[in-house]
Amino acid sequence: MVLVSGWTGAMDAVLTSLLAPGTVAVRHDLSRVTEGVVRRTLSVLGENPRETILELAHGCVSCTLREDLLPLLRALSTRSSVDRIVLAMDPALEPEALCWAVENVVVAGVVGQIDGPASRDVRIDAVIGCLDAATWLADATGDDALADRGVVASGDDDRTVAQLVVGQVDYSDALVVTAGPEVDAWERARLSAVLVRLAPNAPVVWVAQDAMVDAPALLASVPADARRGAITDAHSPLLRGQPPLTVDCGVALMEFTATRPFHPERLHEAIDVLLDGIVTARGRAWVATQPDEALWIESAGGGLRVASAGKWLAAMIPVQQERIDTTRRAMAALRWDEQFGDRDTSLVILIHQADPTEIDRTLQWALVSDDEMTDPALWSTWTDPFGQWHEDPCESSESPYAEQSREATE
């Protein structure tokens, strides 16, 4: 299966290029999903597209995945005439969430097949991301909500455009960038500098507006070690691939690390430094009031998400530690502290207009001070703005959009 995603760009041209004998293209139109209506289109070479109107009991992306898309993938895989499925993703969908669902959500009731995830029958060969050079960077660094653009994946979808478009590119194995004459050499160079740091292993093809795309050639250029739908967790390496570590057109990657915790209230005050002049920031954080649980901090443009990253190894009993990936345990052993174990902070920040020195100074200020480090027993008495849980109303642990997340209150 090949996933084609994008907020804007040459998705239709990629889809057309990939249509060949043995290929079926699937597209879900989620523009009316909150009304419980989804339009599904199947296309094969030489035939008119077949459109089906789906009516869902609950209008959300999670229900669309569970009730139609995932069973459809399993059903298509049984057809002898189908060698490849190309999924043209609705702009509101993030490829990582869909890949998670393919791998984890159990699909039951497909005739002739054992209950299980769609990954029993389909393999994700690549994710192709499409973007428009004239608008992508502005979208990726802005603070517009999806609802401001008339796009929502569920009734309470509060994601920003930046979170969506950055996630689409970050998860891509290959990129198609549409660039018209309004995009000058400087804008192209700056965007290239961002893309090579956000998706360092992804081959990039630049095309003119309405130009044809040689998608099979692009797929052939995807490196053997590309992600191809693999899901990583919060304790995986933050710098994937080999992104440039130098500054180019004002674009740079910086890393912030600390072996002492954040003071929760100072972190809450300082965290806005990750929202101005930043394309994206992500990583694990140790907050003094939460000694057992790591926090995942992720920003894109003006959008911020703070979620659970699971327990620190030091907070686990031995039998729990044995179930953890050996790579994580080995990396933790290299930096193990006698008192605090593997607790630490590690953030990677992609800058396009910010001052790295100011970011570092602000985050250093938010850490627990030398005096505060002498009395860890006091930490539990501090107010914690990151302590409230927010749950997606769909209440399904199977849904990639139903993960619990901690929202930083303003």
Side-chain angles (χ1 to χ4, degrees), residues 229-254:
I231 303 298
T232 55
D233 63 26
H235 296 275
S236 299
L238 297 176
L239 282 177
R240 296 186 298 270
Q242 295 181 324
L245 300 180
T246 55
V247 180
D248 184 7
C249 299
V251 177
L253 284 168
M254 70 165 286

Side-chain angles (χ1 to χ4, degrees), residues 9 40 55 80 93 97 182 224 265 270 363 380 383:
R40 181 231 289 161
E55 295 185 3
S80 59
L93 280 174
E182 73 278 11
E265 291 181 292
L363 294 177
S380 62
T383 300

